[in-house]
Amino acid sequence: MMPADTVALVTGGTSGLGLAVARRLLASGVTPVVLGRSEERGRQALKSLGDTAVFVRGDVADEADVTAALDVALRHGTLRIVVNCAGVPHAAKVVGRNGPHALGRFVDVLTANLVGTFNVVRLAAERMMRNEPSEQERGVIVNTASLAAFEGQVGQAAYAASKGGVVSMTLPLARELAGSLIRVVTVAPGFFETPAVASVPGAARRELDLDLVHPGRWGHPDEFAGLVAHIIGNPMINGETLRIDGAVRMSPGLRRRSS
Ligand SMILES: NC(=O)c1ccc[n+]([C@@H]2O[C@H](COP(=O)([O-])OP(=O)(O)OC[C@H]3O[C@@H](n4cnc5c(N)ncnc54)[C@H](O)[C@@H]3O)[C@@H](O)[C@H]2O)c1
């Protein structure tokens, strides 16, 4: 049970998995401060979440933006929860029809998914360390990876590298922050119905569907949020990456025609 003044920073919380997490936290009495890049999406998110939620515009990879979001969070209560859902999808072959993968795109994907996650963790942890412990912990940080961290498909070199980095830093972060009574856990989702995947072309979607096992459908964001809520409430889960994928193991994606 979180203390009544608990605030959670939810990055990417204006849509998809992050919005579902913000909604779940709100229902449990936690004030979600949602960080996102788009003012318009932020407005829409607040419309669906209600007045208790807070939106802050910003980029997770930007030190000033994240610092400002943390300042806002602290004005609303005690920051005990961070859920990093901000991230960008990306698919492009290493050598495609138009030549080699653009180096700048590789850097962009790493910056949003990996550097951004680390930036939020480092700045939030420093604030959480000042909390009075509640039930022997000062805070919990949940990051979001992907199955691509383990079985990246053709066209996912950049995305897999970014999510693999999130997985790899989970244990060293948890080990270091243990001394401050802060847990760090990563969730690796399989296929979930969110705005990000709405743009996946039909052929690619049908190919992904072949990898479904049981249940034979894509996940609902609320099922992801349910796992995050369990992680937040269960002090024994720490330093680990949990898959939530209905037994999916992604195939190589050799027929994928990303360029
Ligand atoms: N949906 C899936 O099937 C799936 C599978 C595996 C992993 N994931 C991961 O889950 C997370 C959430 O994905 P989603 O499907 O809900 O996507 P989404 O596009 O609905 O939500 C992601 C949000 O992050 C925001 N964002 C992106 N870069 C940002 C930045 N630099 N700063 C601040 N905000 C930023 C976007 O604006 C968006 O609102 C992502 O990290 C994604 O890689 C999703």
Side-chain angles (χ1 to χ4, degrees), residues 169-179 182-184 238-240:
M169 70 183 178
T170 304
L171 185 59
L173 287 172
R175 284 174 161 167
E176 178 180 334
L177 295 176
I182 296 168
R183 288 185 289 131
V184 182
N238 191 16
E240 184 57 283

Side-chain angles (χ1 to χ4, degrees), residues 6 25 41 76 81 90 124 154 163 165 180 183 200 202 240 246-247:
T6 299
L25 290 168
R41 273 189 173 188
H76 285 81
I81 299 168
H90 177 66
V154 167
K163 295 300 190 177
S180 302
R183 288 185 289 131
V200 174
E240 184 57 283

Side-chain angles (χ1 to χ4, degrees), residues 199-207:
S199 60
V200 174
R205 169 107 189 199
R206 282 190 291 280
E207 196 181 325

Side-chain angles (χ1 to χ4, degrees), residues 89-97 146 148 151-157 159 191 197 199-212 218 248-259:
H90 177 66
K93 287 182 171 173
V94 179
V95 182
R97 276 194 296 269
S146 160
E151 56 242 23
Q153 298 189 307
V154 167
Q156 288 193 312
Y159 184 71
F191 308 152
V197 296
S199 60
V200 174
R205 169 107 189 199
R206 282 190 291 280
E207 196 181 325
L208 293 174
D209 284 348
L210 296 175
D211 293 336
L212 295 174
W218 287 40
V248 164
R249 299 294 178 270
M250 288 201 293
S251 56
L254 290 170
R255 292 187 298 276
R256 198 68 50 80
R257 288 200 303 265
S258 52
S259 55

Side-chain angles (χ1 to χ4, degrees), residues 70-85:
L70 290 168
D71 289 343
V72 170
L74 291 182
R75 284 203 289 277
H76 285 81
T78 306
L79 180 74
R80 295 187 180 277
I81 299 168
V82 171
V83 183
N84 272 309
C85 285

